[in-house]
Amino acid sequence: KCLHILQKICGSKQILPSTYEVSGQLSLDSIRTIAFGGFCDAYSGTLDQEKVCIKRLRISLTGDQALVKQSLCKEAVVWKHLDHPNIVPFRGVTFDPLQLVSEWIPGGELKEHILRGNTHPNLINLLLGVANGLGYLHSRNVIHGDLKGANILVDAAGNPRIGDFGLATIARDSNSLSSTGDHRGTTPRFTAPEILKDIARHSKESDIFAFGMVVIEV
């Protein structure tokens, strides 16, 4: 419940605790994007001697930047409190400009990793890793809200890592399955029918539906 309140406050005020700030020297490797979403772009960078991924507000964005900053702050609150072998590790944020920094995952997106011929010794074990990561999120009362192959990366050891918590929310209490989200920003193929029809909100069950679609995808 405290984390839900913190996410709500940080999002509405567009602020984050100073303890979230990364320590060390952060730099971009290139101005060329490695991935992009609706309002943000991702870049490769270096934090001291470690290669990292940097997510930042798109410079050319002409819409309501305040709403996007709210989303980044809410994402940081969720991600900061996650620690699991099947979750992309979070390193912290910078405040000016607002950027989210995470560990660099070299294998790329799950489906692309497989299409490149990097066959996993046991596809069932790979999917089990995704399920374990999702189970961990739900045990922490976190609803991902946008689970799909593009948001699952593969690390150097061949382990799947769930990332991109831009639509993630904290369920209000341990008995609540619903978040405060809607289907905007999600990928229809991975979105449960009840959400697309606007008759339900994101839930742990809709995350499980998305996982089922990931199984079909790979």
Side-chain angles (χ1 to χ4, degrees):
K1 184 174 292 186
C2 292
L3 194 57
H4 170 76
I5 295 172
L6 178 62
Q7 187 192 38
K8 187 173 182 179
I9 293 174
C10 290
S12 62
K13 300 297 184 181
Q14 300 174 43
I15 58 174
L16 289 167
S18 59
T19 54
Y20 282 39
E21 187 171 17
V22 295
S23 59
Q25 184 66 38
L26 179 68
S27 61
L28 288 177
D29 291 340
S30 169
I31 60 173
R32 182 177 180 180
T33 60
I34 58 171
F36 58 89
F39 304 102
C40 296
D41 294 318
Y43 302 83
S44 64
T46 303
L47 179 60
D48 291 335
Q49 301 300 316
E50 178 189 8
K51 190 169 185 179
V52 293
C53 179
I54 302 171
K55 181 177 181 179
R56 65 194 303 186
L57 186 72
R58 183 168 298 125
I59 297 175
S60 60
L61 182 65
T62 57
D64 192 343
Q65 294 193 11
L67 288 177
V68 182
K69 289 181 179 179
Q70 287 179 14
S71 177
L72 285 174
C73 288
K74 292 169 70 175
E75 180 176 4
V77 170
V78 173
W79 207 352
K80 172 72 173 177
H81 294 85
L82 301 177
D83 183 14
H84 188 272
N86 297 117
I87 301 294
V88 175
F90 184 63
R91 291 290 180 259
V93 305
T94 64
F95 292 109
D96 188 19
L98 180 59
Q99 302 176 126
L100 275 58
V101 183
S102 60
E103 182 178 305
W104 178 263
I105 307 298
E109 297 175 4
L110 175 62
K111 186 176 180 179
E112 292 183 356
H113 179 80
I114 295 174
L115 290 176
R116 286 197 300 267
N118 298 302
T119 55
H120 196 274
N122 190 331
L123 185 58
I124 297 299
N125 285 341
L126 190 151
L127 292 172
L128 182 60
V130 178
N132 286 337
L134 184 60
Y136 166 76
L137 293 178
H138 290 175
S139 74
R140 300 281 294 176
N141 230 25
V142 173
I143 298 168
H144 188 279
D146 194 24
L147 187 69
K148 56 186 177 182
N151 289 337
I152 301 168
L153 306 178
V154 181
D155 65 20
N159 299 311
R161 301 269 192 159
I162 298 174
D164 197 340
F165 296 92
L167 296 180
T169 51
I170 309 296
R172 294 179 182 177
D173 56 61
S174 59
N175 296 317
S176 173
L177 295 179
S178 294
S179 76
T180 56
D182 56 31
H183 68 270
R184 289 174 294 180
T186 62
T187 304
R189 177 181 175 184
F190 298 88
T191 305
E194 64 270 20
I195 297 176
L196 292 175
K197 294 178 181 178
D198 290 324
I199 59 176
R201 296 175 176 177
H202 287 291
S203 64
K204 294 178 181 179
E205 290 94 339
S206 64
D207 271 355
I208 294 171
F209 174 91
F211 171 70
M213 296 306 296
V214 170
V215 173
I216 294 174
E217 180 184 31
V218 301

Coordinates of all heavy atoms in Angstrom, one line a residue, residues 31-117:
I31 N 24.1 9.0 -30.2 CA 22.8 9.6 -30.2 C 21.8 8.8 -31.0 O 20.7 9.2 -31.2 CB 22.9 11.1 -30.8 CG1 23.4 11.0 -32.3 CG2 23.8 12.0 -29.9 CD1 23.4 12.4 -32.9
R32 N 22.3 7.7 -31.6 CA 21.4 6.8 -32.3 C 20.6 6.0 -31.4 O 21.1 5.3 -30.5 CB 22.2 5.9 -33.2 CG 21.4 5.0 -34.1 CD 22.3 4.2 -35.0 NE 21.5 3.3 -35.9 CZ 22.1 2.5 -36.8 NH1 23.4 2.5 -37.0 NH2 21.3 1.7 -37.5
T33 N 19.3 6.0 -31.6 CA 18.4 5.2 -30.7 C 18.5 3.7 -31.0 O 18.8 3.3 -32.1 CB 16.9 5.6 -30.9 OG1 16.5 5.3 -32.2 CG2 16.7 7.0 -30.5
I34 N 18.4 2.9 -29.9 CA 18.4 1.4 -30.1 C 17.0 0.9 -30.0 O 16.7 -0.3 -30.4 CB 19.3 0.8 -29.0 CG1 18.8 1.1 -27.6 CG2 20.7 1.2 -29.2 CD1 19.5 0.4 -26.5
A35 N 16.1 1.7 -29.5 CA 14.7 1.2 -29.4 C 13.8 2.5 -29.1 O 14.4 3.5 -28.7 CB 14.4 0.2 -28.3
F36 N 12.6 2.4 -29.4 CA 11.7 3.6 -29.2 C 10.3 3.1 -28.9 O 9.9 2.0 -29.3 CB 11.7 4.5 -30.4 CG 11.3 3.8 -31.7 CD1 9.9 3.8 -32.1 CD2 12.2 3.2 -32.6 CE1 9.5 3.2 -33.3 CE2 11.8 2.6 -33.7 CZ 10.4 2.6 -34.1
G37 N 9.6 4.0 -28.2 CA 8.2 3.7 -27.8 C 7.3 4.8 -28.3 O 7.7 5.6 -29.2
G38 N 6.2 5.0 -27.6 CA 5.3 6.1 -28.0 C 5.8 7.4 -27.8 O 5.7 8.4 -28.6
F39 N 6.5 7.6 -26.6 CA 7.0 9.0 -26.2 C 8.4 9.0 -25.8 O 9.0 10.1 -25.6 CB 6.1 9.5 -25.1 CG 4.6 9.5 -25.4 CD1 3.8 8.5 -24.9 CD2 4.1 10.5 -26.2 CE1 2.4 8.5 -25.2 CE2 2.8 10.5 -26.5 CZ 1.9 9.5 -26.0
C40 N 9.1 7.8 -25.7 CA 10.4 7.8 -25.2 C 11.3 7.0 -26.2 O 10.8 6.2 -27.0 CB 10.5 7.1 -23.8 SG 9.6 8.0 -22.5
D41 N 12.6 7.3 -26.1 CA 13.6 6.5 -26.8 C 14.6 5.9 -25.9 O 14.8 6.4 -24.8 CB 14.3 7.5 -27.8 CG 13.4 8.0 -28.9 OD1 12.6 7.3 -29.4 OD2 13.5 9.3 -29.2
A42 N 15.2 4.8 -26.4 CA 16.3 4.1 -25.6 C 17.6 4.2 -26.3 O 17.7 4.2 -27.5 CB 15.9 2.7 -25.4
Y43 N 18.7 4.4 -25.5 CA 20.0 4.6 -26.0 C 21.0 3.6 -25.3 O 20.7 3.3 -24.1 CB 20.5 6.0 -25.9 CG 19.7 7.0 -26.6 CD1 18.5 7.5 -26.0 CD2 20.0 7.5 -27.8 CE1 17.7 8.5 -26.6 CE2 19.2 8.5 -28.5 CZ 18.1 9.0 -27.8 OH 17.3 9.9 -28.4
S44 N 22.1 3.3 -25.9 CA 23.1 2.6 -25.2 C 24.0 3.6 -24.5 O 24.2 4.7 -25.1 CB 23.9 1.7 -26.1 OG 24.6 2.4 -27.1
G45 N 24.5 3.3 -23.4 CA 25.4 4.2 -22.7 C 26.3 3.5 -21.7 O 26.4 2.3 -21.7
T46 N 27.1 4.3 -21.0 CA 28.0 3.8 -20.1 C 27.9 4.5 -18.7 O 27.9 5.7 -18.6 CB 29.5 4.0 -20.6 OG1 29.6 3.4 -21.9 CG2 30.5 3.3 -19.6
L47 N 27.8 3.7 -17.7 CA 27.8 4.2 -16.3 C 29.1 3.7 -15.7 O 29.2 2.5 -15.3 CB 26.6 3.6 -15.5 CG 26.5 4.1 -14.1 CD1 26.4 5.6 -14.0 CD2 25.3 3.4 -13.4
D48 N 30.0 4.6 -15.5 CA 31.4 4.3 -15.2 C 31.9 3.3 -16.2 O 32.0 3.6 -17.4 CB 31.5 3.8 -13.7 CG 31.2 4.9 -12.7 OD1 31.4 6.1 -13.1 OD2 30.7 4.6 -11.6
Q49 N 32.2 2.1 -15.8 CA 32.7 1.1 -16.8 C 31.7 0.1 -17.2 O 31.9 -0.8 -18.0 CB 33.9 0.3 -16.1 CG 35.1 1.2 -15.7 CD 35.7 1.9 -16.9 OE1 35.9 1.4 -17.9 NE2 36.0 3.2 -16.6
E50 N 30.4 0.3 -16.8 CA 29.4 -0.7 -17.1 C 28.5 -0.2 -18.3 O 28.1 1.0 -18.3 CB 28.5 -0.9 -15.9 CG 27.3 -1.8 -16.1 CD 26.3 -1.8 -15.0 OE1 26.4 -1.0 -14.1 OE2 25.4 -2.7 -15.0
K51 N 28.2 -1.0 -19.2 CA 27.3 -0.7 -20.3 C 25.9 -0.7 -19.8 O 25.5 -1.7 -19.1 CB 27.5 -1.6 -21.5 CG 26.7 -1.2 -22.8 CD 27.1 -1.9 -24.0 CE 26.4 -1.4 -25.2 NZ 26.8 -2.1 -26.5
V52 N 25.1 0.3 -20.1 CA 23.8 0.4 -19.6 C 22.8 0.8 -20.8 O 23.2 1.2 -21.9 CB 23.7 1.4 -18.5 CG1 24.4 0.9 -17.3 CG2 24.1 2.8 -18.9
C53 N 21.5 0.7 -20.5 CA 20.5 1.2 -21.4 C 19.9 2.5 -20.7 O 19.6 2.5 -19.5 CB 19.4 0.2 -21.6 SG 18.0 0.7 -22.6
I54 N 19.7 3.5 -21.5 CA 19.2 4.8 -21.0 C 17.9 5.1 -21.7 O 17.8 5.2 -23.0 CB 20.2 5.9 -21.3 CG1 21.5 5.6 -20.6 CG2 19.6 7.2 -20.8 CD1 22.6 6.6 -21.0
K55 N 16.8 5.2 -21.0 CA 15.5 5.6 -21.5 C 15.2 7.0 -21.2 O 15.3 7.4 -20.0 CB 14.4 4.7 -20.9 CG 13.0 4.9 -21.4 CD 12.0 3.9 -20.7 CE 10.6 4.1 -21.2 NZ 9.7 3.1 -20.6
R56 N 14.9 7.8 -22.2 CA 14.6 9.2 -22.0 C 13.5 9.7 -22.8 O 13.1 9.1 -23.8 CB 15.9 10.0 -22.3 CG 16.3 10.0 -23.7 CD 17.8 10.5 -23.9 NE 18.0 11.8 -23.4 CZ 19.1 12.5 -23.6 NH1 20.1 11.9 -24.3 NH2 19.2 13.7 -23.2
L57 N 13.0 10.9 -22.4 CA 11.9 11.5 -23.1 C 12.4 11.9 -24.5 O 13.5 12.4 -24.7 CB 11.5 12.8 -22.4 CG 10.3 13.6 -22.9 CD1 9.0 12.9 -22.6 CD2 10.3 15.0 -22.2
R58 N 11.5 11.6 -25.5 CA 11.9 12.0 -26.9 C 12.1 13.5 -27.1 O 11.2 14.3 -26.7 CB 10.9 11.4 -27.9 CG 11.2 11.7 -29.4 CD 10.3 10.9 -30.3 NE 10.5 9.5 -30.1 CZ 9.4 8.7 -29.9 NH1 8.2 9.2 -29.8 NH2 9.6 7.4 -29.7
I59 N 13.2 13.9 -27.6 CA 13.5 15.3 -27.7 C 12.5 16.1 -28.6 O 12.1 17.2 -28.3 CB 14.9 15.5 -28.2 CG1 16.0 14.9 -27.2 CG2 15.2 17.0 -28.5 CD1 17.4 15.0 -27.7
S60 N 12.0 15.4 -29.6 CA 11.1 16.0 -30.6 C 9.7 16.0 -30.2 O 8.8 16.4 -30.9 CB 11.3 15.4 -32.0 OG 11.0 14.0 -31.9
L61 N 9.4 15.4 -29.0 CA 8.0 15.3 -28.5 C 7.4 16.7 -28.4 O 7.9 17.6 -27.8 CB 8.0 14.6 -27.2 CG 6.6 14.3 -26.6 CD1 5.8 13.3 -27.5 CD2 6.7 13.8 -25.2
T62 N 6.2 16.8 -29.1 CA 5.5 18.1 -29.1 C 4.2 18.1 -28.2 O 3.6 19.1 -28.1 CB 5.1 18.5 -30.5 OG1 4.3 17.5 -31.1 CG2 6.4 18.7 -31.3
G63 N 3.9 16.9 -27.7 CA 2.7 16.8 -26.9 C 2.9 17.2 -25.5 O 3.8 18.0 -25.2
D64 N 2.1 16.7 -24.6 CA 2.1 17.0 -23.2 C 3.3 16.3 -22.5 O 3.2 15.1 -22.1 CB 0.8 16.7 -22.5 CG 0.7 17.3 -21.1 OD1 1.7 17.7 -20.6 OD2 -0.4 17.4 -20.6
Q65 N 4.4 17.0 -22.4 CA 5.6 16.3 -21.8 C 5.4 16.0 -20.3 O 6.0 15.1 -19.8 CB 6.8 17.2 -22.0 CG 7.2 17.4 -23.4 CD 8.6 18.0 -23.6 OE1 9.4 18.1 -22.6 NE2 9.0 18.4 -24.8
A66 N 4.5 16.8 -19.7 CA 4.3 16.6 -18.3 C 3.7 15.2 -18.0 O 4.1 14.5 -17.1 CB 3.3 17.7 -17.7
L67 N 2.8 14.8 -18.9 CA 2.2 13.4 -18.8 C 3.2 12.3 -18.9 O 3.2 11.3 -18.2 CB 1.0 13.3 -19.8 CG -0.2 14.1 -19.5 CD1 -1.2 13.8 -20.7 CD2 -0.9 13.7 -18.2
V68 N 4.1 12.5 -19.9 CA 5.2 11.5 -20.1 C 6.1 11.5 -18.9 O 6.6 10.4 -18.5 CB 6.0 11.8 -21.4 CG1 7.0 10.8 -21.7 CG2 5.0 11.9 -22.6
K69 N 6.5 12.7 -18.3 CA 7.3 12.7 -17.2 C 6.7 12.0 -16.0 O 7.3 11.3 -15.2 CB 7.7 14.1 -16.8 CG 8.7 14.8 -17.8 CD 9.0 16.2 -17.4 CE 10.0 16.8 -18.4 NZ 10.3 18.2 -18.0
Q70 N 5.3 12.2 -15.9 CA 4.6 11.5 -14.8 C 4.7 10.0 -15.0 O 5.0 9.2 -14.0 CB 3.1 11.9 -14.9 CG 2.8 13.3 -14.4 CD 1.3 13.6 -14.5 OE1 0.5 12.7 -14.7 NE2 1.0 14.8 -14.4
S71 N 4.6 9.5 -16.2 CA 4.7 8.1 -16.5 C 6.1 7.6 -16.2 O 6.3 6.5 -15.6 CB 4.4 7.8 -18.0 OG 4.6 6.5 -18.3
L72 N 7.2 8.3 -16.5 CA 8.5 7.9 -16.2 C 8.8 7.8 -14.7 O 9.4 6.9 -14.2 CB 9.5 8.9 -16.9 CG 9.7 8.8 -18.4 CD1 10.7 9.9 -18.9 CD2 10.3 7.4 -18.8
C73 N 8.2 8.8 -14.0 CA 8.4 8.8 -12.5 C 7.7 7.6 -11.9 O 8.2 6.9 -11.0 CB 7.8 10.1 -11.9 SG 8.8 11.5 -12.2
K74 N 6.5 7.3 -12.4 CA 5.7 6.1 -11.9 C 6.5 4.8 -12.2 O 6.5 3.9 -11.4 CB 4.3 6.1 -12.5 CG 3.5 7.3 -11.9 CD 2.2 7.4 -12.7 CE 1.2 6.3 -12.4 NZ -0.1 6.5 -13.1
E75 N 7.0 4.8 -13.4 CA 7.8 3.6 -13.8 C 9.0 3.4 -12.9 O 9.3 2.2 -12.5 CB 8.2 3.7 -15.3 CG 9.0 2.5 -15.8 CD 9.4 2.6 -17.3 OE1 9.1 3.6 -17.9 OE2 10.0 1.6 -17.8
A76 N 9.7 4.5 -12.6 CA 10.9 4.4 -11.8 C 10.6 3.8 -10.4 O 11.3 3.0 -9.8 CB 11.6 5.7 -11.7
V77 N 9.4 4.3 -9.8 CA 9.0 3.8 -8.5 C 8.8 2.3 -8.5 O 9.3 1.6 -7.5 CB 7.8 4.6 -8.0 CG1 7.2 4.0 -6.7 CG2 8.0 6.0 -7.8
V78 N 8.1 1.8 -9.5 CA 7.9 0.4 -9.5 C 9.2 -0.4 -9.7 O 9.5 -1.3 -9.0 CB 6.9 0.0 -10.7 CG1 6.8 -1.5 -10.8 CG2 5.6 0.6 -10.4
W79 N 10.0 0.0 -10.7 CA 11.2 -0.7 -11.1 C 12.2 -0.7 -10.0 O 13.0 -1.7 -9.8 CB 11.7 0.0 -12.4 CG 12.5 -0.9 -13.3 CD1 13.0 -2.2 -13.0 CD2 13.0 -0.6 -14.6 NE1 13.7 -2.7 -14.1 CE2 13.7 -1.7 -15.1 CE3 12.9 0.5 -15.4 CZ2 14.3 -1.7 -16.3 CZ3 13.5 0.5 -16.6 CH2 14.2 -0.6 -17.1
K80 N 12.3 0.4 -9.3 CA 13.3 0.5 -8.2 C 13.2 -0.5 -7.2 O 14.2 -1.0 -6.6 CB 13.2 1.9 -7.6 CG 14.0 2.2 -6.3 CD 15.5 2.3 -6.7 CE 16.3 2.7 -5.4 NZ 17.8 2.8 -5.7
H81 N 12.0 -1.0 -6.9 CA 11.8 -2.0 -5.9 C 11.7 -3.4 -6.3 O 11.2 -4.3 -5.6 CB 10.5 -1.6 -5.1 CG 10.6 -0.2 -4.4 ND1 10.4 1.0 -5.0 CD2 11.0 0.0 -3.1 CE1 10.6 1.9 -4.2 NE2 10.9 1.4 -3.0
L82 N 12.2 -3.7 -7.5 CA 12.1 -5.0 -8.1 C 13.5 -5.6 -8.1 O 14.5 -5.0 -8.4 CB 11.6 -5.1 -9.5 CG 10.1 -4.5 -9.6 CD1 9.7 -4.5 -11.1 CD2 9.1 -5.3 -8.8
D83 N 13.6 -6.9 -7.7 CA 14.9 -7.6 -7.7 C 14.7 -9.1 -7.9 O 14.3 -9.8 -7.0 CB 15.7 -7.3 -6.4 CG 17.1 -8.0 -6.3 OD1 17.6 -8.4 -7.4 OD2 17.6 -8.1 -5.2
H84 N 14.9 -9.6 -9.1 CA 14.7 -11.0 -9.4 C 15.5 -11.3 -10.7 O 15.7 -10.5 -11.6 CB 13.2 -11.2 -9.7 CG 12.8 -12.6 -9.9 ND1 12.8 -13.2 -11.1 CD2 12.3 -13.5 -9.0 CE1 12.4 -14.5 -11.0 NE2 12.1 -14.7 -9.7
P85 N 15.9 -12.6 -10.8 CA 16.8 -13.0 -11.9 C 16.1 -12.9 -13.3 O 16.8 -12.9 -14.3 CB 17.1 -14.5 -11.6 CG 16.9 -14.6 -10.1 CD 15.8 -13.7 -9.7
N86 N 14.8 -12.8 -13.3 CA 14.1 -12.7 -14.5 C 13.5 -11.3 -14.8 O 12.5 -11.1 -15.6 CB 13.0 -13.8 -14.6 CG 13.5 -15.2 -14.6 OD1 13.3 -15.9 -13.7 ND2 14.4 -15.5 -15.6
I87 N 14.0 -10.3 -14.1 CA 13.6 -8.9 -14.3 C 14.9 -8.1 -14.7 O 16.0 -8.3 -14.1 CB 13.0 -8.3 -13.0 CG1 11.8 -9.1 -12.5 CG2 12.7 -6.9 -13.1 CD1 10.6 -9.1 -13.4
V88 N 14.8 -7.2 -15.6 CA 15.9 -6.4 -16.0 C 16.3 -5.5 -14.8 O 15.4 -4.8 -14.3 CB 15.5 -5.5 -17.2 CG1 16.6 -4.5 -17.5 CG2 15.2 -6.3 -18.5
P89 N 17.5 -5.6 -14.4 CA 18.0 -4.8 -13.2 C 17.9 -3.3 -13.5 O 18.4 -2.8 -14.5 CB 19.4 -5.3 -13.0 CG 19.5 -6.6 -13.6 CD 18.6 -6.5 -14.9
F90 N 17.4 -2.6 -12.5 CA 17.3 -1.1 -12.6 C 18.5 -0.5 -11.9 O 18.9 -0.9 -10.8 CB 16.0 -0.7 -11.9 CG 15.7 0.8 -12.0 CD1 15.5 1.4 -13.2 CD2 15.6 1.6 -10.8 CE1 15.2 2.8 -13.2 CE2 15.3 2.9 -10.9 CZ 15.1 3.5 -12.1
R91 N 19.1 0.5 -12.5 CA 20.3 1.2 -11.9 C 20.0 2.5 -11.3 O 20.7 2.9 -10.4 CB 21.4 1.4 -13.0 CG 22.0 0.1 -13.5 CD 22.9 -0.5 -12.4 NE 23.5 -1.8 -12.8 CZ 23.1 -3.0 -12.5 NH1 22.0 -3.1 -11.7 NH2 23.7 -4.1 -12.9
G92 N 18.9 3.2 -11.7 CA 18.6 4.5 -11.1 C 18.1 5.5 -12.2 O 17.8 5.1 -13.3
V93 N 18.1 6.7 -11.8 CA 17.6 7.8 -12.7 C 18.6 9.0 -12.7 O 19.5 9.1 -11.8 CB 16.3 8.3 -12.3 CG1 15.2 7.2 -12.2 CG2 16.3 9.1 -10.9
T94 N 18.5 9.8 -13.7 CA 19.1 11.1 -13.6 C 18.0 12.1 -13.7 O 16.9 11.8 -14.2 CB 20.0 11.4 -14.8 OG1 19.3 11.4 -16.1 CG2 21.1 10.3 -14.9
F95 N 18.2 13.3 -13.1 CA 17.0 14.2 -12.9 C 17.0 15.3 -14.0 O 16.0 15.9 -14.2 CB 17.1 14.8 -11.5 CG 16.8 13.8 -10.4 CD1 17.8 13.4 -9.6 CD2 15.5 13.3 -10.3 CE1 17.5 12.5 -8.6 CE2 15.2 12.4 -9.3 CZ 16.3 12.0 -8.4
D96 N 18.1 15.7 -14.5 CA 18.2 16.8 -15.5 C 19.1 16.4 -16.7 O 20.3 16.7 -16.6 CB 18.6 18.1 -14.8 CG 18.4 19.3 -15.8 OD1 17.7 19.2 -16.8 OD2 19.0 20.3 -15.5
P97 N 18.6 15.8 -17.7 CA 17.2 15.5 -18.0 C 16.8 14.2 -17.2 O 17.6 13.4 -16.7 CB 17.2 15.2 -19.5 CG 18.5 14.7 -19.8 CD 19.5 15.4 -18.9
L98 N 15.5 14.0 -17.1 CA 14.9 12.8 -16.5 C 15.2 11.6 -17.4 O 14.7 11.5 -18.5 CB 13.4 12.9 -16.2 CG 12.7 11.7 -15.6 CD1 13.4 11.4 -14.2 CD2 11.2 12.0 -15.4
Q99 N 16.0 10.6 -16.9 CA 16.3 9.4 -17.6 C 16.3 8.2 -16.7 O 16.6 8.3 -15.5 CB 17.8 9.5 -18.2 CG 18.0 10.7 -19.1 CD 19.4 10.8 -19.6 OE1 19.7 10.9 -20.8 NE2 20.3 10.9 -18.7
L100 N 15.9 7.1 -17.2 CA 15.9 5.8 -16.5 C 17.0 5.0 -17.0 O 17.2 4.8 -18.2 CB 14.5 5.1 -16.7 CG 13.4 5.5 -15.7 CD1 13.0 7.0 -15.9 CD2 12.1 4.6 -16.0
V101 N 17.8 4.5 -16.1 CA 19.0 3.7 -16.4 C 18.9 2.3 -15.9 O 18.6 2.1 -14.8 CB 20.3 4.4 -15.8 CG1 21.5 3.6 -16.2 CG2 20.4 5.9 -16.2
S102 N 19.1 1.4 -16.8 CA 19.0 -0.1 -16.5 C 20.2 -0.8 -17.0 O 21.0 -0.3 -17.9 CB 17.7 -0.7 -17.0 OG 17.7 -0.6 -18.4
E103 N 20.4 -2.0 -16.5 CA 21.5 -2.9 -17.0 C 21.3 -3.2 -18.5 O 20.2 -3.4 -19.0 CB 21.5 -4.2 -16.2 CG 22.6 -5.1 -16.6 CD 22.6 -6.4 -15.7 OE1 22.7 -6.2 -14.5 OE2 22.6 -7.5 -16.3
W104 N 22.4 -3.2 -19.2 CA 22.4 -3.6 -20.6 C 22.2 -5.1 -20.8 O 22.9 -5.9 -20.2 CB 23.7 -3.2 -21.3 CG 23.8 -3.5 -22.8 CD1 24.3 -4.6 -23.3 CD2 23.2 -2.8 -23.8 NE1 24.2 -4.6 -24.7 CE2 23.5 -3.5 -25.0 CE3 22.5 -1.6 -23.9 CZ2 23.1 -3.1 -26.3 CZ3 22.1 -1.1 -25.2 CH2 22.4 -1.9 -26.3
I105 N 21.2 -5.5 -21.5 CA 20.9 -6.9 -21.8 C 21.3 -7.2 -23.2 O 20.6 -6.8 -24.1 CB 19.4 -7.2 -21.5 CG1 19.0 -6.7 -20.1 CG2 19.2 -8.7 -21.6 CD1 19.7 -7.4 -19.0
P106 N 22.4 -8.0 -23.4 CA 22.9 -8.1 -24.8 C 22.2 -8.9 -25.8 O 22.4 -8.8 -27.0 CB 24.3 -8.7 -24.5 CG 24.1 -9.5 -23.2 CD 23.2 -8.7 -22.4
G107 N 21.3 -9.8 -25.3 CA 20.7 -10.8 -26.2 C 19.5 -10.2 -27.0 O 19.0 -10.8 -28.0
G108 N 19.1 -9.0 -26.6 CA 18.0 -8.4 -27.4 C 16.6 -9.0 -27.0 O 16.5 -9.7 -26.1
E109 N 15.6 -8.6 -27.8 CA 14.3 -9.1 -27.6 C 14.1 -10.6 -27.8 O 14.8 -11.2 -28.6 CB 13.3 -8.3 -28.5 CG 13.3 -6.8 -28.3 CD 12.4 -6.1 -29.3 OE1 11.7 -6.8 -30.1 OE2 12.4 -4.9 -29.3
L110 N 13.2 -11.1 -27.0 CA 13.0 -12.6 -27.0 C 12.8 -13.2 -28.4 O 13.5 -14.1 -28.8 CB 11.8 -12.9 -26.1 CG 11.4 -14.4 -26.0 CD1 12.5 -15.2 -25.5 CD2 10.1 -14.5 -25.2
K111 N 11.9 -12.7 -29.1 CA 11.6 -13.3 -30.4 C 12.7 -13.1 -31.4 O 13.1 -14.0 -32.1 CB 10.3 -12.6 -31.0 CG 9.8 -13.3 -32.3 CD 8.5 -12.7 -32.8 CE 8.0 -13.4 -34.1 NZ 6.7 -12.8 -34.5
E112 N 13.3 -11.9 -31.4 CA 14.5 -11.7 -32.3 C 15.6 -12.6 -31.9 O 16.4 -13.0 -32.8 CB 14.9 -10.2 -32.2 CG 13.9 -9.2 -32.8 CD 14.3 -7.8 -32.8 OE1 15.4 -7.6 -32.3 OE2 13.6 -6.9 -33.3
H113 N 15.8 -12.8 -30.7 CA 16.9 -13.7 -30.2 C 16.7 -15.1 -30.8 O 17.7 -15.7 -31.2 CB 16.9 -13.7 -28.7 CG 17.9 -14.6 -28.1 ND1 19.2 -14.3 -27.9 CD2 17.8 -15.9 -27.6 CE1 19.9 -15.2 -27.3 NE2 19.1 -16.2 -27.1
I114 N 15.5 -15.5 -30.8 CA 15.2 -16.9 -31.3 C 15.3 -16.9 -32.8 O 15.9 -17.8 -33.4 CB 13.8 -17.3 -30.9 CG1 13.7 -17.5 -29.4 CG2 13.4 -18.6 -31.6 CD1 12.3 -17.8 -28.8
L115 N 14.8 -15.8 -33.5 CA 14.9 -15.8 -35.0 C 16.3 -15.7 -35.5 O 16.6 -16.1 -36.6 CB 14.1 -14.6 -35.5 CG 12.6 -14.7 -35.3 CD1 11.9 -13.4 -35.8 CD2 12.0 -15.9 -36.1
R116 N 17.2 -15.2 -34.7 CA 18.6 -15.1 -35.1 C 19.3 -16.4 -35.0 O 20.5 -16.6 -35.3 CB 19.4 -14.1 -34.2 CG 19.1 -12.6 -34.5 CD 20.1 -11.7 -33.9 NE 20.2 -11.8 -32.5 CZ 19.6 -11.0 -31.6 NH1 18.7 -10.1 -32.1 NH2 19.7 -11.2 -30.3
G117 N 18.6 -17.5 -34.6 CA 19.2 -18.8 -34.5 C 19.8 -19.1 -33.2 O 20.4 -20.2 -33.0

